[in-house]
Amino acid sequence: MSEGQIEGHGGELALAALRAYGIRELFTLSGGHVFPLYDAAHKAGFPIYDVRHEQSAVFAAEAVAKLQRRPGLAVLTAGPGVTNGISGLTSAFFNASPVLVLGGRAPAFRWGSGSLQEIDHIPLVSSITKYAATVPDTASIPGSVQAALTAALTAHRGPAFLDLPLEVLFSSEDVPAPVADPIPVTTADPADIAKAAELLASAARPVIIAGSDVWAGDAIEALTAAAEALQIPVFTNGMGRGALPPGHPLNFAKARRAALNEADVIAVIGTPLDFRLNFGEFDPAQVIHIVDAPSQRATHVQPAVSPAGDLRATLTALADHTGKRADHSEWTAGLRAAEDAGRSRDAAAMAAETDPIKPARVYGELRKVLAPDAVTIGDGGDFVSYAGRYLEPSQPGTWLDPGPYGCLGTGMGYAMGARVTYPDRQICVLMGDGAAGFSLMDAESLARQNLPVVIVVGNNGIWGLEKHPMRAMYGYDVAADLQPGLHYDHVVEALGGAGETVTKANDLEPALTRAFNAGVPYLVNVITDPEDAYPRSSNLA
C-alpha cells in the first residue's frame, strides 16, 4: 500500500471517512447487513451504542448533531431497519440536523431475486434528506461519505442517507486516505442586510424572534451583539432558547403575545414562519425573515426583506449598522412590565397546592433542582407544552424538543445522545404518558450501557392534546384514554433502572433529588390532573 492510501473492507473505508468529519460514535440496532461497520469500529475502539428500536438510533444521532453542531451517525440494517428510522430522518430534516444514516442493502448482484430485506430505500428517503444514494462499489465508499456529509453540513443543514449493498460493504479495496471537504458558506446580499438593519433601527416597536438555526450556525454571540447594538427585545424558540441569559435586559419570554400584537417590525431569525409563529402573519407589522440559505425563505407570505446566508455574518453586520436609530427604551420598558406580570402569574401556578398535581407545579419543582447547564429534553404533547412555558434554559444548546415535525418518541434516543455528549451533566427527559409508549423500552439500552438519565412522566391517563379538543368539538371523545395511574416507573425498574410514583405535590422535590442522584435511568411518574389542559389555539391548518 502506497503512502496516502488506506486498505480495508468497506466498513474500514467508511470509518476513515467518517472520522475525517469529526464523527466519534455510532448508534445502531444490530443487523447482519452492516457487520463490517461494526467490525471496523470494534477494532478501532470507536464507540458503538445500540438501541431496541431503530428510531432511537437516529434520534440519538440527531441529539449529538444538535448539541455538538457536528454530524451524528446512525447505522441501520437493510429493509425494516431503514424504514423504522424514517421518522427520525424526517425529524432531522425538519430540524436541519446534520445526521448521516448508513443503511445496509441487499446484494446488488442478486437484485430482483428476493434476497432478505430487499427493498430500494432511496425513493423512500429522497424527499426527507439532502443527499440520498446507493454506493456503487467499494472504492467509492469514502467519496460517497464525503459527498453525503458535505451536503448535510452545508446550510441549510439536514440529514443524508447512504445505503451499501452487501458485497460492496464486505469487499476490500486500496483507496486514497479520505479528508474532509471544505463546507461552502453563502453570504447574504449586503443590500438585504442593510434594509433589514434600517427597518429594525428605525422601528418604534421592533422584536427579534431567534430560533434553532442561530444555535446551529454558531451565531449566539452575534445575535446578542445585534440585539444590544440595536436595543431590540429578543424572544426565542427551539434551540435558540437560552441565547440571552436570564436577567439580560433584552431577554423576554412571558410578554410574547403583547410583543407580537403591538410590534411594528418583527425580525424572525433562523426559524421558519410556520404554525408556531402564526405562519408569519403579523399584520400590520412588517416581517423580516433572516435565514441561512435561500431555500428557507418563506414562500407563503411576503416578508419586507429576507437576507439569506451565514447567520453569524448577517447578525454581525446588523450589529455594525451605523445608521440612525430610534429610541426603543419606552417600548422595552412596557414589555418588561408585561414580562414581570407574566412571571408573577407563572410563579403562582408553579406553587399550586392541588390534588391531583397540576403540571405547572411539576415544573416549579424541577426549576429548583435543575443545574444551569442541564440538558432538558421534551418528548410529549400536552405535558411538554407546559415545559415550554415554565422552563427557561439558562444556556443555549441545552433544550431539545421534537421540533416542528412534532414526532413523539424522540425521548430515549435524545437522552442517549445527550448523555454521550455530556457524561457529567444532568440529563432530564420530560415525557407525556402517551409519548412513553413510543420509546420507553430504550430505558433498557440506557441501563445496560450505563447511561443514567432522569425521566419525568406527566401521567394524566389521556392524550391531552386530543381528548379536550375533541370533547369541545363533538361533545365526546374516542381513542383518547390511557390507563390511569399506570406505573411507568415499574417499567423502568424491570428494564434495569429505578423509579417511583408521586401523587402529592410536596413529594416532588425529594423524588427529583433522588432521581438525579441515582446513577441509573430513573423515572419519576407524576400523577397529574387530567382536566388541566394546556391552553393553546389550533394551528393545524
Side-chain angles (χ1 to χ4, degrees), residues 439-491:
S439 72
L440 198 56
M441 189 70 191
D442 264 310
E444 187 276 335
S445 305
L446 297 171
R448 174 169 41 84
Q449 295 168 98
N450 192 30
L451 300 169
V453 303
V454 172
I455 308 157
V456 180
V457 171
N459 185 350
N460 60 4
I462 60 172
W463 291 99
L465 290 187
E466 286 70 36
K467 186 179 182 71
H468 295 293
M470 187 174 183
R471 191 189 297 167
M473 286 182 186
Y474 299 113
Y476 68 90
D477 62 87
V478 296
D481 288 306
L482 303 167
Q483 286 189 45
L486 194 65
H487 275 277
Y488 295 97
D489 51 320
H490 290 178
V491 175

Side-chain angles (χ1 to χ4, degrees), residues 202-423:
S202 62
R205 298 177 303 281
V207 168
I208 287 174
I209 300 174
S212 295
D213 293 338
V214 176
W215 164 258
D218 195 15
I220 296 294
E221 290 184 6
L223 169 70
T224 303
E228 290 177 345
L230 298 171
Q231 285 296 295
I232 299 176
V234 176
F235 296 79
T236 56
N237 72 9
M239 292 197 75
R241 301 184 72 199
L244 273 64
H248 191 289
L250 296 173
N251 179 40
F252 290 84
K254 311 302 177 186
R256 176 167 154 157
R257 176 174 294 181
L260 296 184
N261 286 343
E262 299 173 25
D264 58 352
V265 175
I266 299 172
V268 177
I269 306 171
T271 193
L273 300 177
D274 59 17
F275 68 95
R276 297 169 299 172
L277 292 174
N278 199 41
F279 304 102
E281 297 171 358
F282 296 119
D283 290 339
Q286 295 188 83
V287 176
I288 300 167
H289 194 204
I290 301 177
V291 295
D292 63 5
S295 63
Q296 298 310 294
R297 285 175 166 146
T299 58
H300 60 282
V301 293
Q302 184 60 56
V305 65
S306 186
D310 181 75
L311 292 181
R312 184 165 49 181
T314 298
L315 290 168
T316 298
L318 291 182
D320 292 340
H321 176 66
T322 57
K324 293 182 179 179
R325 302 180 186 185
D327 183 357
H328 302 144
S329 57
E330 184 176 346
W331 164 240
T332 302
L335 290 182
R336 183 58 59 193
E339 182 82 5
D340 292 344
R343 290 188 183 281
S344 295
R345 290 191 297 271
D346 285 357
M350 288 188 288
E353 294 282 354
T354 60
D355 183 13
I357 300 168
K358 299 290 186 184
R361 179 64 186 270
V362 180
Y363 293 110
E365 299 305 313
L366 263 173
R367 287 168 64 108
K368 299 175 184 177
V369 298
L370 284 175
D373 65 352
V375 176
T376 330
I377 297 162
D379 183 13
D382 188 62
F383 183 62
V384 173
S385 294
Y386 288 91
R389 175 171 179 172
Y390 294 113
L391 292 185
E392 297 177 47
S394 298
Q395 299 177 11
T398 58
W399 170 264
L400 293 173
D401 63 25
Y405 189 53
C407 183
L408 298 187
T410 61
M412 293 297 92
Y414 277 9
M416 179 177 283
R419 174 53 72 213
V420 168
T421 297
Y422 298 120

